[in-house]
């Protein structure tokens, strides 16, 4: 039986090719994902460990310019630490945002990972964290050093003048040196600027204060002993730990960060393999049907049912093993490709080997072989149940009425249960509702897959008259052939249905959310421009002053982050300019007037006021950011605006109770609206600062909607593999169908059906099956998109379900095109059949 199984694999190479491809793609995705994340994690862990190679103890304070309560490490404390017997060296560190302009004035890097820090040479005159390839470290206030990649992108050389932006005005520095580093910000596609220590302290904290300190131990001194000596010298808010412990903590954080990426990619691999199950099961069902007499003969000469079943399963295992080997090799290529792609998109993976862990190997081969064997189990079971005498006389066992009733009953129950769960989940909000929907979606998909053979007859019957009218005999025969074997048609259509369910659901959600975001920005904003820091950090007060003086500005207000503690509960506050904020945002009042802001009163959005029982005229006892207590009066209740906090307060009151203004955005209205001239006036007012981002309303819409579109495109790309496998399934079904109907096709050719009409018949059959699967998938996808959207509606103001009919039409057209493309080879094979040979075929 073993030799028979191997012989059958070799005898049906073409038939099994589609199965190999389906399993291979799934295995490639699984192995590629595991190898890529293992490689990325190993490289980042090594980088983290390397950055702490010379660090015996690391001291962290989390000191911040805006927070007077958290003190850093003073120069005096640092000197005490350096004077300890067990300390070989102690280096103070301070860091923050620093953006470098290229020769065209544009920011080098991506903003959020553009950093600046201090160069701190030790006793040997070098800073061990950086290796200089040209020049030296900055030793004066007007000098800086740049990382090698940033210097290359900006075409800067030692001695050049470089424009650098921090949170204040742009300044020019002389480049003193270029260095290499293992800094994570640089590897993430950002930049690193090194300043003289005193300059860095003034920029990022306060003179004479460092945020962190790294200590190296003297020979023979353990990190634990040094840690014990250092702790008594540290301020209360400082945290000290060994370099090894810190590296281990960072490694753990890296693992957690990669687990989300790993899970998402493996989920899509699972979807592809799930779709592939139908193709594999279809293939083995057809192969078993073709070998009915052969299997019967084996039974007649003594093979037991168990041996026949084992033979088919062994054949599946061999196919799965071959596919796994090829898929694993392809997965390695995929991992290398993903690594290169990260570099193309600005990310840089630290140098390191490709990590092929035993887990990746075992998982890939287990998945490949197991999925193939499981998919072939039902066909193997059917093969074992064929009575030898019935098979030898070509009487194929057909499904009994009882088996069909049981199958359809199970499918109906699963579909109803799944549909009920989806509706129940849609009535709940948040992640709880989405979890219920996920369970319901799984049950519904399984139920519909079970019912698809039953659905195929009435659905395809609806289009049969149209096919006959448009395409004559070819159309009539195509419709009949599509429902001749409902199980095969259903299995083929199921693969397409699953793919299009996911694609349609994502499209419905994406378009709905995109339009909600668009309405949110259009309805809520009157301003022409929004100015932010490219780093996402706070703007300096001087920026607001400069913009007020810019030509053409008619209204300007900061959106300054603050908070109020009322009855023990913290409320987010936006510090705004009274009299100006109404010109920049749509703020319909429910009661009172926003003019009350000019009197030092606050305005509260309707939802917050209702939940707390506040109304216009109420006086509320509050605790400000500086812990001072006072009272504020509610001067207005307004309809909520997503661009602002629930509570509005005059900016001067926020300034009076904060050590430093936390200005996240500045909003402006200009004479004549957004224009190139007005934008240039703002650029000029900001001193041509590359770290400042100036966005008009369209840019703001794109910023909020861009993440939705990016997520959709990623999903489409990942789901494309499932659709490719579905296409292979259509090709496989048609090829098998042509093989089984050779005699019939020969008879049709003999009575006058020419080659052109034979090709048309096969093509139409493929289109009918593809469109049937597409229609089922689109219907399910719209249902799921609606349900998931309902769970999000409470968090998205103005949420309205949008059905993207244009995209749905494109999906259906593409499904038809898939059918046409998939039919090319089978149709050509059918048309080339020799009619006399075909007629003699049994």
């Amino acid at each position: 039986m073993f030799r028979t199984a191997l012989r059958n694999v070799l005898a049906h190479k073409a038939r099994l090719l589609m199965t190999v491809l389906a399993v291979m793609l799934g295995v490639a995705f699984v192995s590629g994902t595991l190898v890529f994340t293992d490689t990325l994690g190993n490289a980042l862990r090594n980088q983290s460990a390397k950055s702490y190679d010379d660090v015996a103890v690391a001291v962290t304070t989390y000191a911040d310019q805006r927070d007077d309560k958290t003190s850093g490490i003073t120069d005096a404390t640092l000197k005490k630490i350096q004077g300890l017997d067990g300390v070989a060296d102690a280096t103070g560190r301070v860091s923050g945002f620093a953006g470098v302009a290229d020769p065209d004035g544009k920011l080098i890097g991506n903003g959020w990972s553009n950093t600046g820090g201090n160069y701190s040479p030790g006793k040997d005159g070098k800073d061990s964290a950086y290796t200089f390839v040209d020049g030296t470290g900055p030793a004066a206030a007007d000098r800086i050093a740049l990382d090698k990649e940033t210097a290359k992108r900006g075409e800067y050389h030692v001695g050049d003048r470089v424009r650098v932006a921090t949170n204040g005005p742009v300044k020019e520095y002389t480049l003193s040196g270029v260095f290499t580093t293992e800094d994570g910000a640089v590897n993430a596609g950002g930049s690193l600027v090194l300043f003289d220590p005193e300059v860095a302290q003034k920029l990022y904290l306060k003179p004479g204060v460092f945020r962190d300190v790294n200590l190296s131990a003297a020979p023979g001194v353990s990190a634990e002993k040094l840690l014990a000596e250092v702790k008594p010298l540290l301020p209360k808010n400082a945290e000290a730990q060994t370099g090894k412990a810190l590296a281990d903590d960072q490694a753990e954080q890296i693992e957690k960060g990669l687990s989300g990426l790993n899970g998402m990619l493996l989920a899509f691999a699972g979807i592809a393999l799930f779709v592939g199950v139908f193709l594999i099961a279809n293939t083995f069902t057809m192969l078993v049907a073709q070998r009915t007499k052969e299997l019967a003969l084996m039974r007649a000469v003594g093979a037991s049912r168990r041996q026949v079943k084992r033979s088919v399963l062994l054949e599946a295992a061999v196919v799965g093993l071959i596919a796994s080997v090829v898929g694993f090799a392809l997965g390695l290529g995929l991992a290398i490709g993903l690594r290169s792609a990260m570099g193309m998109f600005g990310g840089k993976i630290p140098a390191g080997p490709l990590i092929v862990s035993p887990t990746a190997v075992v998982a890939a081969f287990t998945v490949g072989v197991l999925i193939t064997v499981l998919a072939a189990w039902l066909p193997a079971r059917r093969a074992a149940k064929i009575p030898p005498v019935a098979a030898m006389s070509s009487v194929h066992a057909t499904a009994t009425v009882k088996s069909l009733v049981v199958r359809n009953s199970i499918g109906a129950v699963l579909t109803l249960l799944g549909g009920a769960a989806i509706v129940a989940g849609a009535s709940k909000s948040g992640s709880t509702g989405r979890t219920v929907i996920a369970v319901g979606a799984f049950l519904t998909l399984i139920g519909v897959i079970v019912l698809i053979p039953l659905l195929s007859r009435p659905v395809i019957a609806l289009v049969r008259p149209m096919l006959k009218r448009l395409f004559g005999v070819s159309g009539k025969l195509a419709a009949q052939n599509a429902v001749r074997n409902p199980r095969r048609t259903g299995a083929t259509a199921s693969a397409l249905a699953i793919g299009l369910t996911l694609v349609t659901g994502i499209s419905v959600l994406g378009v709905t959310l995109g339009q909600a975001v668009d309405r949110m920005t259009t309805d809520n904003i009157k301003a022409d421009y929004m100015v932010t820091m490219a780093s996402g950090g706070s703007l300096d007060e001087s920026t607001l002053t400069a913009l007020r003086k810019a030509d053409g500005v008619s209204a300007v207000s900061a959106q300054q982050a603050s908070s109020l503690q009322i009855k023990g509960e913290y409320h987010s506050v936006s510090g705004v300019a009274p009299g100006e904020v109404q010109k920049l945002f749509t703020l319909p009042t429910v009661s009172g007037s926003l003019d009350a802001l000019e009197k030092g009163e606050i305005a509260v959005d309707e939802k917050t006021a209702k939940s707390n029982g506040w109304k216009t005229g109420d006086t509320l006892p509050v605790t400000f950011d500086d812990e001072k207590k006072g009272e504020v009066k509610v001067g207005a209740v307004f309809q909520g605006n997503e661009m602002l906090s629930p509570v509005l307060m005059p900016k001067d009151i926020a300034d009076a109770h904060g050590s430093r203004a936390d200005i996240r955005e500045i909003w402006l209205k200009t004479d004549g609206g957004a224009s190139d001239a007005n934008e240039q006036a703002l650029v000029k007012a900001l001193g041509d600062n590359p770290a400042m981002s100036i966005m008009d309303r369209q840019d703001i819409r794109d910023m909020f909607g861009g993440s939705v579109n990016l997520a959709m495109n990623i999903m489409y790309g990942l789901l494309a593999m499932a659709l490719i496998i579905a296409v292979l399934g259509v090709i496989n079904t048609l090829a098998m169908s042509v093989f089984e109907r050779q005699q019939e096709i020969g008879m049709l050719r003999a009575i006058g059906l020419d080659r052109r009409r034979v090709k048309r018949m096969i093509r139409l059959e493929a289109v009918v099956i593809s469109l049937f699967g597409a229609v089922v998938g689109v219907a399910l996808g719209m249902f799921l998109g609606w349900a998931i959207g309902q769970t999000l509606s409470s968090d998205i103001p103005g949420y309205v379900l949008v059905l993207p009919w244009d995209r749905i039409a494109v999906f259906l057209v593409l499904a038809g095109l898939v059918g046409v493309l998939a039919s090319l080879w089978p149709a050509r094979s059918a048309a080339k059949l020799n009619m006399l040979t075909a007629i003699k075929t049994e």
Side-chain angles (χ1 to χ4, degrees):
M1 296 304 290
F2 178 74
R3 286 198 300 271
T4 302
L6 292 180
R7 188 204 66 194
N8 286 325
V9 171
L10 296 173
H12 298 93
K13 292 187 288 291
R15 300 280 178 266
L16 292 168
L17 178 61
M18 302 301 174
T19 298
V20 170
L21 287 173
V23 179
M24 179 186 75
L25 288 172
V27 170
F29 215 118
V30 170
S31 58
T33 295
L34 293 174
V35 171
F36 172 67
T37 51
D38 285 346
T39 299
L40 180 59
N42 180 72
L44 292 174
R45 283 191 297 272
N46 287 344
Q47 179 194 55
S48 175
K50 189 174 180 181
S51 62
Y52 292 105
D53 273 350
D54 298 324
V55 177
V57 174
V59 178
T60 308
T61 65
Y62 308 103
D64 191 280
Q65 278 182 322
R66 296 187 299 272
D67 187 1
D68 288 332
K69 302 173 204 170
T70 308
S71 59
I73 304 295
T74 62
D75 284 340
T77 302
L78 179 60
K79 286 179 181 177
K80 289 180 183 178
I81 293 172
Q82 289 171 334
L84 291 173
D85 290 338
V87 175
D89 195 13
T91 306
R93 299 290 183 195
V94 63
S95 62
F97 171 77
V100 180
D102 67 14
D104 297 325
K106 303 296 182 184
L107 182 68
I108 297 174
N110 47 32
W112 59 268
S113 60
N114 287 32
T115 57
N118 59 293
Y119 177 73
S120 293
K123 296 172 184 176
D124 59 356
K126 296 180 181 179
D127 190 329
S128 59
Y130 312 106
T131 303
F132 278 81
V133 294
D134 192 13
T136 60
D142 66 339
R143 302 288 171 128
I144 60 165
L146 291 177
D147 68 272
K148 184 179 178 181
E149 190 61 30
T150 301
K152 181 181 177 182
R153 283 188 282 178
E155 299 178 0
Y156 291 122
H157 302 91
V158 172
D160 288 349
R161 297 289 285 175
V162 182
R163 297 176 70 246
V164 179
T166 52
N167 289 342
V170 180
K171 292 184 179 178
E172 278 199 355
Y173 299 86
T174 299
L175 183 63
S176 67
V178 176
F179 58 89
T180 58
T181 178
E182 293 296 325
D183 188 277
V186 175
N187 284 320
S191 61
L192 178 59
V193 183
L194 294 181
F195 299 93
D196 176 76
E198 291 183 5
V199 173
Q201 287 175 328
K202 289 176 185 176
L203 284 173
Y204 300 125
L205 206 53
K206 59 182 99 172
V209 178
F210 292 100
R211 180 179 291 120
D212 309 317
V213 176
N214 292 335
L215 292 81
S216 58
V221 177
S222 69
E224 287 72 19
K225 182 176 183 297
L226 188 58
L227 181 63
E229 291 180 1
V230 167
K231 278 187 174 180
L233 302 177
L234 302 178
K236 291 181 181 179
N237 57 6
E239 178 184 321
Q241 59 188 133
T242 63
K244 184 181 183 306
L246 192 58
D248 290 343
D249 286 346
Q250 288 201 4
E252 187 177 340
Q253 292 302 316
I254 289 167
E255 291 289 343
K256 289 179 181 177
L258 290 174
S259 64
L261 173 66
N262 208 13
M264 182 185 73
L265 293 175
L266 287 177
F268 283 97
I271 291 168
L273 287 167
F274 185 55
V275 172
V277 164
F278 297 98
L279 189 155
I280 298 162
N282 231 6
T283 300
F284 278 92
T285 298
M286 296 174 201
L287 289 174
V288 166
Q290 288 172 22
R291 287 159 36 203
T292 300
K293 285 190 176 182
E294 176 190 326
L295 294 171
L297 182 61
M298 291 169 64
R299 289 290 312 282
V301 297
S304 66
R305 286 188 175 185
R306 184 178 296 178
Q307 283 179 308
V308 169
K309 185 161 77 171
R310 267 202 309 240
S311 174
V312 176
L313 292 178
L314 182 59
E315 188 177 335
V318 172
V319 171
L321 185 62
I322 294 169
S324 297
V325 171
V326 179
F328 188 76
L330 192 63
L332 295 179
L334 179 64
I336 294 169
L338 286 171
R339 185 172 178 169
S340 301
M342 280 192 70
M344 290 172 62
F345 286 104
K348 180 184 173 186
I349 298 179
L354 195 69
I355 302 300
V356 183
S357 66
T359 302
V361 178
V362 171
F365 281 84
T366 301
V367 164
V369 176
L370 193 62
I371 290 291
T372 312
V373 171
L374 286 176
W377 183 80
L378 274 177
R381 187 168 171 269
R382 290 194 202 108
K385 290 175 69 176
I386 297 173
V389 175
M392 289 298 289
S393 51
S394 296
V395 180
H396 295 264
T398 57
T400 63
V401 174
K402 180 182 176 182
S403 71
L404 291 174
V405 169
V406 170
R407 176 192 175 107
N408 294 333
S409 299
I410 292 172
V413 169
L414 288 173
T415 303
L416 288 172
L417 286 174
I422 291 171
V423 172
S427 65
K428 303 177 184 293
S429 60
S431 59
T432 303
R434 289 191 286 276
T435 301
V436 175
I437 289 171
V439 174
F442 179 75
L443 292 175
T444 303
L445 272 175
I446 298 298
V448 169
I449 288 164
V450 173
L451 283 176
I452 266 187
L454 177 68
L455 296 172
S456 64
R457 287 186 180 277
V459 172
I460 294 174
L462 291 175
V463 299
R464 187 184 298 171
M466 183 183 68
L467 289 172
K468 184 178 178 182
R469 239 185 349 261
L470 292 175
F471 302 103
V473 175
S474 296
K476 180 181 178 181
L477 291 171
Q480 290 175 345
N481 291 333
V483 293
R484 177 179 294 184
N485 191 330
R487 283 186 172 177
R488 181 190 299 164
T489 297
T492 305
S494 294
L496 275 170
I498 293 167
L500 280 170
T501 295
L502 298 170
V503 169
T504 304
I506 289 167
S507 296
V508 169
L509 273 177
V511 171
T512 299
L513 292 176
Q515 292 201 15
V517 168
D518 192 55
R519 281 193 300 274
M520 183 177 71
T521 53
T522 304
D523 297 346
N524 290 344
I525 299 172
K526 292 180 183 177
D528 296 316
Y529 294 101
M530 177 180 76
V531 176
T532 60
M533 284 292 292
S535 63
S538 299
L539 291 156
D540 192 75
E541 192 76 39
S542 62
T543 306
L544 184 60
T545 304
L547 288 171
R548 282 200 179 106
K549 298 176 182 177
D551 294 339
V553 173
S554 58
V556 60
S557 174
Q559 203 276 82
Q560 182 169 319
S562 186
S563 66
L564 289 174
Q565 188 180 354
I566 305 173
K567 294 182 179 179
E569 184 180 352
Y570 281 94
H571 295 271
S572 177
V573 174
S574 287
V576 296
E580 302 283 282
V581 68
Q582 303 97 310
K583 301 174 186 177
L584 300 167
F585 300 96
T586 304
L587 296 168
T589 53
V590 177
S591 62
S593 170
L594 289 173
D595 292 338
L597 290 168
E598 298 184 56
K599 303 174 188 176
E601 298 174 3
I602 65 170
V604 183
D605 78 3
E606 187 178 15
K607 186 177 177 182
T608 303
K610 187 176 180 180
S611 64
N612 289 278
W614 301 336
K615 58 185 183 297
T616 301
D618 286 353
T619 299
L620 307 175
V622 301
T623 302
F624 294 99
D625 280 343
D626 58 0
E627 301 296 333
K628 291 182 180 177
K629 299 185 183 296
E631 291 184 340
V632 294
K633 184 178 180 181
V634 178
V637 175
F638 64 95
Q639 292 179 15
N641 189 304
E642 292 301 306
M643 300 296 154
L644 297 169
S645 297
V647 180
L648 303 183
M649 183 169 66
K651 183 179 181 300
D652 57 355
I653 296 180
D655 287 339
H657 294 283
S659 59
R660 186 173 184 272
D662 186 7
I663 302 173
R664 298 305 174 94
E665 302 147 8
I666 298 175
W667 297 83
L668 306 104
K669 196 163 186 62
T670 53
D671 298 331
S675 66
D676 290 341
N678 282 334
E679 186 170 339
Q680 284 304 310
L682 298 180
V683 170
K684 184 179 178 182
L686 294 172
D688 199 16
N689 191 327
M692 302 286 182
S693 174
I694 302 172
M695 289 184 278
D696 60 21
R697 263 188 275 187
Q698 185 58 51
D699 293 330
I700 296 167
R701 280 198 288 266
D702 292 342
M703 177 184 71
F704 284 105
S707 57
V708 175
N709 293 330
L710 177 63
M712 283 178 63
N713 291 333
I714 291 172
M715 297 291 185
Y716 286 152
L718 293 171
L719 288 171
M721 189 171 65
L723 292 175
I724 290 170
I725 293 173
V727 172
L728 295 175
V730 178
I731 296 172
N732 209 20
T733 295
L734 292 173
M736 294 298 182
S737 180
V738 168
F739 181 84
E740 290 176 0
R741 287 163 26 212
Q742 286 187 63
Q743 188 179 57
E744 176 190 319
I745 292 169
M747 290 294 294
L748 290 171
R749 292 274 286 111
I751 62 174
L753 196 69
D754 59 23
R755 288 184 175 181
R756 182 171 56 86
R757 290 180 182 175
V758 169
K759 285 182 179 180
R760 184 187 297 166
M761 177 183 71
I762 303 298
R763 279 198 296 268
L764 288 174
E765 183 180 344
V767 171
V768 167
I769 293 173
S770 298
L771 286 176
F772 170 56
V775 168
V776 172
V778 165
L780 280 174
M782 288 193 290
F783 182 42
L784 287 175
W786 163 80
I788 296 171
Q790 289 299 109
T791 66
L792 299 168
S793 58
S794 60
D795 300 322
I796 302 173
Y799 177 91
V800 178
L801 179 70
V802 179
L803 295 178
W805 294 110
D806 53 343
R807 297 193 186 197
I808 289 170
V810 170
F811 295 156
L812 293 174
V813 169
L814 288 175
L817 185 61
V818 161
V820 172
L821 293 175
S823 68
L824 290 178
W825 174 54
R828 186 167 176 271
S829 300
K832 288 178 67 178
L833 283 175
N834 183 291
M835 68 180 74
L836 295 178
T837 304
I839 289 170
K840 290 188 291 183
T841 302
E842 294 186 14

